[in-house]
Amino acid sequence: MTTSTRATPAAPAVGVPRTPAPRGPAVRARILEAATRRFYADGIRAVSADRLIEDAGISKVTFYRHFGSKDDLVVAYLEGVADAEEGALTQVRSAQSDDPASVLRWYANHVAEVSCSEGFRGCAFLNAAAELAQADHPARAVVARHRSWLRTQATELLVEMGMEPDAAGRAAHALLMLRDGAMVAGSLDGDPTAVGQGLTAAGDAVIRAARA
């Protein structure tokens, strides 16, 4: 993952929700904004539909007109987080298409920065997977799709760096595990420099081993 430092486009927090951009009717957007804030801060299971109805200042009938169930709202919440992260990474890949290693370094540094930031409550996708243990819960499909997308991005970047596809796939899987661990370390240690350096060094070791 060693590369020169280059400017990258601004990006939202990795795996952490931001205020969603308004989509569709204003009332639906208000419900989703309340859910995004509450689900991440307090936990999906801890937040009731009644709590969100109160936060959004709407009636129960209005709530269920826009979201047939709380599960539908959870899916929309996670899709919004995924869209933001995927859009950010796509933007960086486009801006630095000639330097795939720099994209991996950007991601590692961004994970470290976010994980040590105030208000960080862990990766929204890992949190959701831990809370929603049922394999057939619709939100689990969103989590699985997004993580598959991240692995695919890492695999493609490693192939662009000259790695064989099979080795790149294995290395990408390991890099995603490092990303998960770095988020936990960041939330506990609070030192973005140390977390970023540790994640980058571990990533470099994974890539060297995959090339051997």
Side-chain angles (χ1 to χ4, degrees):
M1 293 170 69
T2 302
T3 184
S4 59
T5 302
R6 298 172 54 184
T8 56
V14 173
V16 180
R18 59 177 179 176
T19 302
R23 290 184 178 183
V27 173
R28 185 183 189 280
R30 196 159 76 241
I31 296 169
L32 186 54
E33 180 179 352
T36 297
R37 183 177 63 254
R38 284 284 184 182
F39 285 156
Y40 187 69
D42 300 334
I44 292 171
R45 289 202 175 279
V47 178
S48 66
D50 287 342
R51 172 76 267 179
L52 296 174
I53 287 167
E54 180 180 344
D55 283 358
I58 57 173
S59 69
K60 186 170 292 189
V61 171
T62 299
F63 177 91
Y64 287 109
R65 183 183 301 132
H66 291 280
F67 295 96
S69 67
K70 179 185 169 183
D71 285 348
D72 291 339
L73 182 53
V74 172
V75 167
Y77 152 67
L78 290 173
E79 287 177 339
V81 183
D83 286 348
E85 182 170 1
E86 291 171 16
L89 185 52
T90 297
Q91 182 184 11
V92 174
R93 284 195 67 180
S94 177
Q96 302 193 148
S97 59
D98 62 334
D99 192 353
S102 72
V103 179
L104 291 175
R105 184 172 294 280
W106 166 82
Y107 192 82
N109 289 336
H110 199 50
V111 165
E113 180 182 353
V114 169
S115 300
C116 298
S117 63
E118 184 178 356
F120 181 72
R121 297 290 183 271
C123 171
F125 304 102
L126 297 180
N127 292 349
E131 287 198 74
L132 308 171
Q134 309 96 313
D136 60 348
H137 192 288
R140 297 284 300 220
V142 182
V143 175
R145 185 203 63 76
H146 179 64
R147 289 180 67 80
S148 176
W149 186 89
L150 287 175
R151 282 194 298 272
T152 297
Q153 298 302 302
T155 300
E156 291 176 355
L157 289 165
L158 292 170
V159 168
E160 290 173 17
M161 292 167 60
M163 193 176 293
E164 291 296 323
D166 287 347
R170 292 191 296 272
H173 183 76
L175 291 178
L176 190 58
M177 289 193 292
L178 290 175
R179 172 255 197 205
D180 296 342
M183 286 193 160
V184 175
S187 65
L188 296 175
D189 299 340
D191 184 345
T193 300
V195 173
Q197 290 175 345
L199 180 54
T200 300
D204 284 341
V206 165
I207 293 171
R208 286 195 302 271
R211 281 175 163 166

